[in-house]
């Protein structure tokens, strides 16, 4: 039994960073807060309904804006809840987490099982590459002016984004936009470019998205974010202040916008 004591001590040591994190004062989540709050406004289900003809243009636009507002409101509520967390309760839970993990390991653990070697992981990644390469070849064989090809590029971009491959995702989405422009997809590319530290590459997409939908709050916010990330806080302030002036007092994203404005240097 004494052989387990070092493992228990290691488990408690591993929980120390978590304890330090929950005891720190809550801080703003920065760019990712804005990304999550504004990006998830697009829902694939609404788009599918619209493309299938079961939802007209006006209904699709209204539903998308409403879901966008709810998601932004949820992000704000999550941040407010984070600022009200109870350190005492969290500290009390930490030892229980360690004990629970230890108990589960005793029941289900297999200490003699080796971890997956690098070669196995590399082979799995290679298989994924092979499958996506075949999919890409099939899309290439389609009429590149057709909606079928466009949808194929969109789905391929989604798959590459899910694999954590932003360059391939952007390349596939760009092919889709070459077939038919869609402001939402252009906004997705712009957001991904900002997230990977390339705000200059996001600017042309935001320009086109705003030309198509000049009043869209997501695109206007991202335009300000691109300026802020490019080291032009004065431009970001002008863009966000203009958006704030047109934002209703009860809009769920107003608090987020005000916080981002106040954080500018």
């Amino acid at each position: 039994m004494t052989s387990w004591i070092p493992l228990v001590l290691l488990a408690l040591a591993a929980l120390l960073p978590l304890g330090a994190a929950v005891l720190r004062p809550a801080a703003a989540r920065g760019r990712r807060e804005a990304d999550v709050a504004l990006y998830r406004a697009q829902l694939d289900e609404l788009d599918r309904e619209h493309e299938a003809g079961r939802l007209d243009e006006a209904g699709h636009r209204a539903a998308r804006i409403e879901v966008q507002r709810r998601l932004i409101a949820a992000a704000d509520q999550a941040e407010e809840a984070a600022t009200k967390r109870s350190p005492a309760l969290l500290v009390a839970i930490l030892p229980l987490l360690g004990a629970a993990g230890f108990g589960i390991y005793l029941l289900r653990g297999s200490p003699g099982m080796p971890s997956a070697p690098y070669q196995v992981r590399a082979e799995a990644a290679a298989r994924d590459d092979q499958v996506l390469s075949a999919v890409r070849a099939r899309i290439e064989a389609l009429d590149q002016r057709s909606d079928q090809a466009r949808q194929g590029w969109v789905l391929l971009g989604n798959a590459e984004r899910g694999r954590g491959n932003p360059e391939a995702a952007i390349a596939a989405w760009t092919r889709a936009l070459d077939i038919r422009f869609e402001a939402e997809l252009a906004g997705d590319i712009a957001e991904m470019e900002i997230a990977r530290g390339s705000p200059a590459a996001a600017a042309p997409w935001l320009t086109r998205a705003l030309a198509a939908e000049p009043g869209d709050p997501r695109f206007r916010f991202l335009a300000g974010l691109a300026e802020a990330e490019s080291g032009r806080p004065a431009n970001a302030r002008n863009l966000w202040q203009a958006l704030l002036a047109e934002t209703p007092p009860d809009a769920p994203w107003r608090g987020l916008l005000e916080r981002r404005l106040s954080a500018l240097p």
Side-chain angles (χ1 to χ4, degrees), residues 14-265:
L15 289 172
L16 287 178
L18 178 60
V22 300
L23 287 174
R24 275 202 311 264
R29 285 171 288 176
R31 185 174 70 192
R32 290 310 307 164
E33 173 199 52
D35 290 346
V36 172
L38 294 169
Y39 171 68
R40 290 184 63 85
Q42 180 186 10
L43 292 179
D44 292 338
E45 183 62 28
L46 285 175
D47 290 341
R48 285 194 294 270
E49 292 292 309
H50 176 56
E51 291 179 1
R54 292 188 290 269
L55 188 65
D56 60 20
E57 181 66 29
H60 174 254
R61 183 183 298 271
R64 181 172 56 80
I65 291 175
E66 178 60 26
V67 174
Q68 180 186 58
R69 291 177 177 175
R70 291 179 182 176
L71 288 173
I72 296 174
D76 279 346
Q77 291 171 1
E79 179 170 321
E80 291 174 3
T83 62
K84 298 177 181 178
R85 63 193 178 192
S86 170
L89 178 60
L90 291 172
V91 170
I93 289 175
L94 287 178
L96 296 180
L97 290 175
F102 181 66
I104 292 173
Y105 184 76
L106 287 176
L107 292 174
R108 301 288 185 180
S110 300
M113 180 179 293
S115 60
Y118 171 78
Q119 183 177 357
V120 172
R121 299 195 302 271
E123 289 174 354
R127 286 194 298 270
D128 291 342
D129 289 338
Q130 188 175 19
V131 170
L132 290 180
S133 294
V135 171
R136 188 176 292 104
R138 293 186 63 180
I139 299 172
E140 290 276 9
L142 298 172
D143 180 359
Q144 292 303 299
R145 298 168 297 179
S146 67
D147 282 339
Q148 186 179 9
R150 181 185 180 280
Q151 186 64 22
W153 290 121
V154 171
L155 294 175
L156 182 61
N158 293 343
E160 293 288 7
R161 178 181 58 180
R163 298 178 68 209
N165 193 351
E167 290 185 5
I170 290 171
W173 287 342
T174 300
R175 296 287 297 270
L177 290 173
D178 287 341
I179 298 172
R180 177 168 57 83
F181 181 77
E182 179 188 354
E184 281 295 328
L185 190 56
D188 292 343
I189 293 179
E191 184 189 22
M192 187 170 288
E193 292 284 17
I194 294 172
R196 68 182 190 141
S198 301
W205 295 111
L206 288 171
T207 299
R208 294 183 65 184
L210 284 167
E213 298 185 24
D216 191 294
R218 178 193 176 207
F219 303 150
R220 296 174 68 183
F221 183 90
L222 287 174
L225 188 61
E227 291 296 314
E229 294 296 324
S230 298
R232 296 186 289 269
N235 292 350
R237 182 176 291 104
N238 291 336
L239 290 169
W240 284 343
Q241 283 178 339
L243 176 58
L244 184 63
E246 299 176 21
T247 298
D250 58 347
W253 65 82
R254 187 180 182 92
L256 169 65
L257 189 56
E258 290 173 340
R259 289 192 297 276
R260 294 293 296 181
L261 267 168
S262 64
L264 288 174

